[in-house]
Amino acid sequence: MKYAIVESGGKQYRMEEGANLKVDRIHAEPGTDVLLDKVLLVGNSEGATAGQPYVSDAKVACEVVEHGRDKKIVVFRFWRRKDSRKKQGHRQEFTRIKVKSIQA
């Protein structure tokens, strides 16, 4: 089983062929193909190849499935003895992708 560690949106994701992942929003229309080239590590059952910082000539081909927004989280700040508080909500946007192939 071939896998890759890819950087996208400032975060790192472990990707395998055929997997569906939820990553930070990518500006591409659903149904289009996206090529992720910031590959940090490529591995299989025999071993792994790490990059410095990226593996040269390694790419992960993905298809954008859909866009969406996560569940709402509440950010609540409270200052004691000051009679002051702040409540704020946030919904993070995401893109669901399907990994088609890993080229290394």
Side-chain angles (χ1 to χ4, degrees):
M1 173 69 62
K2 199 176 215 184
Y3 65 94
I5 307 293
V6 177
E7 181 182 325
S8 174
K11 298 175 183 165
Q12 296 176 7
Y13 300 96
R14 184 179 196 268
M15 299 188 172
E16 295 177 357
E17 292 182 1
N20 283 322
L21 293 167
K22 192 163 61 170
V23 299
D24 277 352
R25 180 144 181 131
I26 298 172
H27 296 290
E29 294 296 319
T32 60
D33 290 340
V34 176
L35 205 59
L36 303 174
D37 57 352
K38 291 187 176 180
V39 180
L40 300 167
L41 184 132
V42 175
N44 53 22
S45 59
E46 289 124 26
T49 303
Q52 296 178 359
Y54 303 118
V55 179
S56 61
D57 301 331
K59 293 175 178 53
V60 177
C62 304
E63 178 187 356
V64 176
V65 178
E66 67 172 343
H67 297 295
R69 296 177 78 193
D70 267 339
K71 295 192 319 188
K72 181 180 262 191
I73 63 164
V74 176
V75 181
F76 187 77
R77 296 194 176 131
F78 176 79
W79 291 269
R80 60 186 182 159
R81 298 186 302 271
K82 305 289 187 210
D83 194 25
S84 181
R85 60 186 175 263
K86 180 167 75 170
K87 183 177 180 181
Q88 194 174 19
H90 177 73
R91 291 182 70 187
Q92 184 71 31
E93 293 185 342
F94 70 87
T95 299
R96 187 170 308 280
I97 59 173
K98 179 178 174 129
V99 180
K100 293 171 104 180
S101 66
I102 298 172
Q103 301 136 11

